[in-house]
Amino acid sequence: MPDPVLLFRYSALTFNGHRIHCDRPYATEVEGYPGLIVHGPLIATLLVDLVRRELPDARICGFAFKAASPLFDIHPFMVCGKRGADGVALRRHRAPAPRTRLSARTARSPPAMAAP
């Protein structure tokens, strides 16, 4: 589960100065959110890391993701994936309800071409 320090560091790394990611009083009292918002690209990074850890020999040649709804730091979540013929389908679910919040797909590496 991302903590405020990770969210602050990711904000700094990506030059994202929006306070909804790292200032809890601002996010909850001014913006009205229940907690800090976890960056969509951070979740995407965690999904790619899942592929890297579980399929260390895989070569990702494409990646696309779409956030379906916000994720707040007060809710635990998990990232998971399923290998398919054309790549890996990845999902991020909020626990305990398995509602998909962000989905992604990797593209399988094209076959190596023989040298002429």
Side-chain angles (χ1 to χ4, degrees):
M1 190 157 114
D3 60 36
V5 174
L6 176 62
L7 296 176
F8 173 79
R9 288 178 176 167
Y10 198 83
S11 289
L13 178 69
T14 59
F15 300 101
N16 183 337
H18 203 304
R19 294 166 59 187
I20 59 174
H21 301 294
C22 56
D23 183 343
R24 187 173 310 280
Y26 176 82
T28 58
E29 297 168 16
V30 176
E31 296 285 347
Y33 293 119
L36 297 175
I37 295 181
V38 179
H39 310 74
L42 173 58
I43 301 167
T45 301
L46 295 172
L47 289 167
V48 169
D49 186 61
L50 174 68
V51 173
R52 184 194 59 78
R53 285 183 287 113
E54 296 296 321
L55 301 170
D57 296 330
R59 185 173 140 222
I60 298 174
C61 65
F63 179 79
F65 74 95
K66 179 181 179 181
S69 61
L71 173 67
F72 301 100
D73 72 326
I74 59 173
H75 301 295
F77 70 95
M78 63 183 173
V79 293
C80 57
K82 181 177 180 182
R83 193 183 322 201
D86 60 343
V88 178
L90 302 161
R91 300 276 186 267
R92 198 279 310 150
H93 297 288
R94 189 178 110 195
R99 180 174 169 205
T100 298
R101 299 292 178 121
L102 184 140
S103 61
R105 177 166 290 283
T106 64
R108 191 174 58 162
S109 176
M113 298 188 66

